Amino acid sequence: MASKRQVRTTGRLMKYILQGLHVLPDLTNERAYQRAVIASQKPYRLAFLNRLLFGATEYNGRNDVLEISPKYVDDRQLIFYLHGGGYWDQPSIMHYRLLKKLADQTQHRIIMPIYPKAPQHQAQETIQWTKEAFLETLEKEQIDANQIVLMGDSAGASLALSLLQQLRDAKLSLPKQLILISPWFDISDTNHEMKAVQPFDPMLEVAVLHPDAVKFQELADDDGWDVHTTIYPEMYHDFPEIPIPEGKAAIRQMTQLIKER
């Protein structure tokens, strides 16, 4: 079932600001592509600023799995979060900001794996790596999957759905809840309705993702899945990461969903 939210003036103003920024690299440029190749080969290092501002730490001694904890911890469940970035980019400072707010509002610790990136790494490798990181988290925490809230944004949302499918096919326990932010459901970008909404999204220079989210909700309704899609009119890709009223409202809504389950 889908619902809509109202947009505020601040959200509209931020849209125009974002239009003047280059959010994603131009990977059609050979130099940019080669930089991406080199970056995807290097191990991830947690920046001091993200450690200082958001309390991010290495999880279980691993550089490639991070943890963000709230001020007051509710240990009954964890959030396992897969960040976006087009499968190329590492998490941005806006990801850390979002996760710190989610951690403090839900009182749940958040585990964020830094999964292998393109172009050095391939899809099946990344999917398998993510599954293993998820299962290792369950083992380390001595909890069942039904104590996990699985979340992701953009490409990370698609990866989260792939992880859910992998767990299902292996007949393993599933997370209690899946929350997706601006999900990239179909990387072929073949939905013809994308062209109609492309001019309104300053965050992405490729076909935007709203039509496939609507399509996914329709498929869920047809098959009787427990899926709810919230649409924020005039909002852009991954807007909950941006400090605007709509972003704050989306975080509150996600917090409520997590606490209600």
Side-chain angles (χ1 to χ4, degrees), residues 93-94 98 104 188:
I93 192 171
M94 299 309 293
L98 169 64
D104 286 342
S188 70

Side-chain angles (χ1 to χ4, degrees), residues 220-237:
D221 291 340
D222 290 342
D223 289 344
W225 303 341
D226 182 13
V227 172
H228 178 87
T229 300
T230 300
I231 299 169
Y232 285 74
E234 298 185 44
M235 282 294 96
Y236 28 85
H237 186 67

